Amino acid sequence: MNSGATIHTALDTKLQTQSKTAVQSKIGVNDIEEALVVIQHHTHELVSLIGGKDYKKNSFNRAYQSYRQPGSAIKPRLDYAPY
């Protein structure tokens, strides 16, 4: 902490606050959890990351700790690659 290290991040604090408010207001009081990741398309920078409603409740960040199925992202390899 005293060595003068500088940490650069693309995190947008205003967008992070808006994302957190959106997640909390859309889900309500149900036990449903959700994750939200915002990436700037032109700069390829991660500008907001929300991993659920309450990290202290179960210390699990759904934005980067959960496994997801590839969904339609794998279609180009499976369907179009053979052609």
Side-chain angles (χ1 to χ4, degrees):
M1 297 296 276
N2 296 329
S3 66
T6 304
I7 299 172
H8 298 278
T9 179
L11 185 68
D12 183 349
T13 55
K14 184 178 176 183
L15 188 59
Q16 181 75 12
T17 303
Q18 290 175 346
S19 299
K20 184 176 181 180
T21 303
V23 166
Q24 290 175 343
S25 68
K26 296 297 180 189
I27 294 178
V29 295
N30 297 336
D31 288 337
I32 299 171
E33 292 284 340
E34 83 178 54
L36 187 135
V37 178
V38 181
I39 299 173
Q40 284 287 2
H41 176 69
H42 300 292
T43 60
H44 306 289
E45 293 176 330
L46 181 73
V47 293
S48 179
L49 181 77
I50 302 292
K53 288 190 298 186
D54 189 7
Y55 181 76
K56 292 179 183 177
K57 182 179 177 182
N58 49 9
S59 67
F60 182 73
N61 191 315
R62 283 163 178 72
Y64 66 89
Q65 289 178 319
S66 62
Y67 294 101
R68 293 171 186 81
Q69 294 182 356
S72 294
I74 201 166
K75 280 184 183 177
R77 290 187 178 189
L78 295 178
D79 294 336
Y80 307 125
Y83 295 111

